[in-house]
Amino acid sequence: MTPHPLYPHLLSPLDLGHTTLKNRVLMGSMHTGLEDGRRHFPRMAAFYAERARGGVGLIVTGGFAPNIEGWAKPFAGTLATSAAARRHRLVTDAVHAEGGKIALQILHTGRYGYHPLCVAPSRIKSPISPFTPRELSARGIERQISAFVRCAALAREAGYDGVEVMGSEGYLINQFLVSHTNQRDDAWGGSPANRMRLALEIVERVRAAVGADFILIYRLSMLDLIPGGSSWDEVVTLAKAVAAAGATMINTGIGWHEARIPTIATSVPRGAFAWVTQKMRKELRAAGLTIPLITSNRINMPEVAEAILAEGCADMVSMARPLLADPEFVNKAAQHRRDEINTCIACNQACLDHAFVSKIASCLVNPRAGHETELVWRPLDPARHTRKRIAVVGAGPAGLAAATTLAERGHEVHLFEAAAQVGGQFNMARRVPGKEEFAETLRYYTRRIGVTGVQLHLSKRVDVATLVAGRFDEVVLATGVLPRDPKIPGSDLPNVLSYIDVLLHARPVGPRVAIVGAGGIGFDVAEFLVTAPGASPTMNLHEWLAEWGVADPATARGGVVAARPAPPARQVTLLQRKVGKLGKGLGKTTGWIHRASLQMKQVRMIGGVNYQRITAQGLWITTRISSGAQQSEPRLIECDTVVLCSGQEPLRVLHEPLRAAGLRTHLIGGAFEAGELDAKRAIDQGTRLAATL
């Protein structure tokens, strides 16, 4: 087979002995919510079939519990009966019909289970669950092992090509491995050999049950990122034993869910943990073991994956969210269409944030993800549809999604943008340290404009007369937002700036700053201002590892040491009117990262504030005493610059005049609703509207 000229490693086959994978791309396991009810199985079949059609070498499903004790939550996806296995045939048949291969992940959450039936090696409550687990007896442990084995056999019965045994991220098997969570003194605890016994018994017995011609992946926690985690010697010993016990491949797990170090958010550098897999691969190769290793976390473009494989870090790369963002990722790479890939920006807003509130996972940049059976658009049928002439006003995320989807369907689309470039609010977001990935979304849409034939008019502020004269059948207003004026006395002084002045126009900011408003934009502005100009931890792996306290696991147990953040570039105070914790409305799975990052940069956070006035000396405030209405005495936050991040208002001045002129007009994005500049909502609205016109 001739190697691909751009991605010779990524697109080469991987021989597993009894079967061959067509490339080195694994769709890593990710809980979508489609696992948690039989009514979702047709949607799950369509979801995975689309990724198989997109060229993925091997898919791993979201986790299925082997029994009720292993549930992630009550009535979560479980594979424990032949009747359940028959339902899975819908999924496996759909994937195989597209030429793909699929493995089922067996996930036992242990003490992470969000239900009163959870079990663990010891009766130690997790910091991320309100339930204290029941300590397993020796007989209870045997029942858990039998459940894993039964689940694997049923997966084969259901038509899966393999299973992945989840042994990382702090779930049950991982809990047995670490003395921090395993305080037993019997044959399942104490010594490292006893603590790894559960993992090895499961792998050995699963292999015996499913036979030699079935893929068995073991997900190994190579870097726990918790104090008292596994030592490197213990991890290497387990990896060698897992290989000997019958695993086909070893996948890399990074960090327990309770770890206070980000591992997959957008602020994490690309491929940030591939060095850990490379370290393990060298250990195994030195021992004469050729078992393929899979690396994971923040691998979101084909050149990133290719470099990781070319450098010998791994034999395969795992990508989950990038295949939510673009199911055609592999095909586009193979067809030299890298610039058409809809890149995962690792925001977590529609995937993990949804999963943690029991909603179906989707994707901010691809709202079809998880909704393949309902959000469908096809080219216009000339026999049934009239091609329309449509104006889209505003080339922010909502306008870009609407315009390109409309054009893809076959409409004549004119996209008007007052600025000299597309992007809207994303042009500010991508300047925030840790959010550089947002530029990829703009690159994708810029290319898609050309591919779909959208007629783009930049630096063009249209008015009602122009749109009426253009004889458009429909007008889509995606005109975005304006900053809200908080009406603080003194806000017209020269030491007062808006967030647009700071992020978009690069207006000078003094060394001491007060930020009015602690929503998402306030946090972004704070991050921007405390980071030294030209410094970007996202782009410098060594700086990022030091900033968060990630170390070589051979020198620090669990790979975690004291954080060494760079000093802040400015002294920043972040304020909000609401009483309580700042950043409460940030993302479910990323809010803690933003708060921790600013705390490391010594940002002062004050809630319950009333803004009295702004002077040349700074910002005068009062604060609420306790939860009552009583206010403190006015005090001065001394600062050189006050930055206003006090919300937004929809910009929709064209709406009523256009309707009065008789034009069919639609509002989407910030023009429809300005609250917190929700890009997820904006792209979803733009796409869904375009699918119906």
Side-chain angles (χ1 to χ4, degrees), residues 153 363 391 414 423 471 561 591 611:
C363 179
H414 292 258
R471 298 183 179 276
V561 294
Y611 307 107

Side-chain angles (χ1 to χ4, degrees), residues 552-607:
D552 185 339
T555 60
R557 181 176 278 272
V560 60
V561 294
R564 301 193 308 278
R570 291 178 179 85
Q571 177 187 314
V572 172
T573 303
L574 186 59
L575 308 104
Q576 70 176 19
R577 292 187 188 274
K578 292 180 182 177
V579 176
K581 182 170 67 175
L582 274 68
K584 194 173 181 180
L586 298 176
K588 180 79 173 176
T589 60
T590 54
W592 71 269
I593 301 172
H594 298 307
R595 286 189 292 271
S597 177
L598 295 189
Q599 286 164 2
M600 289 194 296
K601 296 293 189 179
Q602 303 162 37
V603 172
R604 184 166 52 151
M605 302 187 190
I606 306 175

Side-chain angles (χ1 to χ4, degrees), residues 365 392-408 413-417 421-427 438-450 452 454-458 476-479 668-669 682-687 690:
V365 300
V392 178
V393 184
L400 289 168
T404 54
T405 305
L406 285 164
E408 183 180 322
V413 180
H414 292 258
L415 177 59
F416 298 94
E417 171 54 48
Q421 60 183 338
V422 303
Q425 300 287 329
F426 267 29
N427 283 313
F438 282 61
E440 293 285 7
T441 303
L442 300 186
R443 181 267 311 153
Y444 164 73
Y445 274 118
T446 299
R447 177 64 178 134
R448 197 165 177 229
I449 284 170
T452 60
V454 171
Q455 297 182 49
L456 178 62
H457 308 274
L458 293 173
V476 178
L477 292 180
T479 41
I668 58 173
I683 293 175
D684 183 75
Q685 280 184 344
T687 304

Side-chain angles (χ1 to χ4, degrees), residues 142-166:
E142 286 291 342
R143 284 198 298 270
Q144 306 310 310
I145 296 172
S146 296
F148 272 90
V149 174
R150 179 183 64 227
C151 186
L154 288 169
R156 175 152 199 163
E157 184 180 315
Y160 285 98
D161 301 284
V163 293
E164 178 177 76
V165 173
M166 181 46 132

Side-chain angles (χ1 to χ4, degrees), residues 413-669:
V413 180
H414 292 258
L415 177 59
F416 298 94
E417 171 54 48
Q421 60 183 338
V422 303
Q425 300 287 329
F426 267 29
N427 283 313
M428 287 182 280
R430 66 190 178 92
R431 289 175 166 83
V432 176
K435 289 192 172 181
E436 293 88 352
E437 293 286 15
F438 282 61
E440 293 285 7
T441 303
L442 300 186
R443 181 267 311 153
Y444 164 73
Y445 274 118
T446 299
R447 177 64 178 134
R448 197 165 177 229
I449 284 170
V451 170
T452 60
V454 171
Q455 297 182 49
L456 178 62
H457 308 274
L458 293 173
S459 302
K460 179 71 173 178
R461 188 178 297 276
V462 293
D463 54 21
V464 174
T466 302
L467 293 170
V468 171
R471 298 183 179 276
F472 292 104
D473 300 297
E474 314 262 356
V475 177
V476 178
L477 292 180
T479 41
V481 298
L482 290 172
R484 180 182 293 124
D485 181 0
K487 302 189 185 309
I488 303 171
S491 59
D492 56 347
L493 291 172
N495 61 332
V496 181
L497 302 174
S498 74
Y499 66 88
I500 296 176
D501 294 326
V502 174
L503 293 177
L504 195 59
H505 302 308
R507 293 276 298 277
V509 178
R512 299 172 304 166
V513 184
I515 299 175
V516 174
I521 293 176
F523 269 77
D524 280 352
V525 170
E527 190 74 53
F528 178 81
L529 293 175
V530 296
T531 304
S536 178
T538 306
M539 300 304 172
N540 187 317
L541 178 57
H542 295 294
E543 286 182 15
W544 184 87
L545 294 173
E547 183 123 326
W548 286 96
V550 180
D552 185 339
T555 60
R557 181 176 278 272
V560 60
V561 294
R564 301 193 308 278
R570 291 178 179 85
Q571 177 187 314
V572 172
T573 303
L574 186 59
L575 308 104
Q576 70 176 19
R577 292 187 188 274
K578 292 180 182 177
V579 176
K581 182 170 67 175
L582 274 68
K584 194 173 181 180
L586 298 176
K588 180 79 173 176
T589 60
T590 54
W592 71 269
I593 301 172
H594 298 307
R595 286 189 292 271
S597 177
L598 295 189
Q599 286 164 2
M600 289 194 296
K601 296 293 189 179
Q602 303 162 37
V603 172
R604 184 166 52 151
M605 302 187 190
I606 306 175
V609 171
N610 276 334
Y611 307 107
Q612 301 298 308
R613 65 188 184 279
I614 301 171
T615 67
Q617 290 72 42
L619 175 66
W620 286 87
I621 66 168
T622 59
T623 53
R624 264 167 274 182
I625 299 174
S626 300
S627 58
Q630 187 178 358
Q631 297 289 316
S632 68
E633 290 295 317
R635 62 187 174 108
L636 174 65
I637 304 293
E638 293 187 53
C639 59
D640 307 288
T641 307
V642 176
V643 181
L644 303 179
C645 304
S646 46
Q648 302 81 32
E649 296 175 346
L651 178 57
R652 51 171 81 139
V653 293
L654 294 175
H655 187 224
E656 289 305 323
L658 285 172
R659 292 181 64 185
L663 284 179
R664 289 192 59 186
T665 308
H666 311 269
L667 288 171
I668 58 173

Side-chain angles (χ1 to χ4, degrees), residues 240-271:
K240 293 176 179 177
V242 162
T248 312
M249 294 188 283
I250 294 176
N251 198 358
T252 301
I254 300 292
W256 288 34
H257 285 311
E258 64 200 70
R260 304 311 290 172
I261 295 170
T263 56
I264 60 171
T266 192
S267 59
V268 178
R270 292 178 174 184

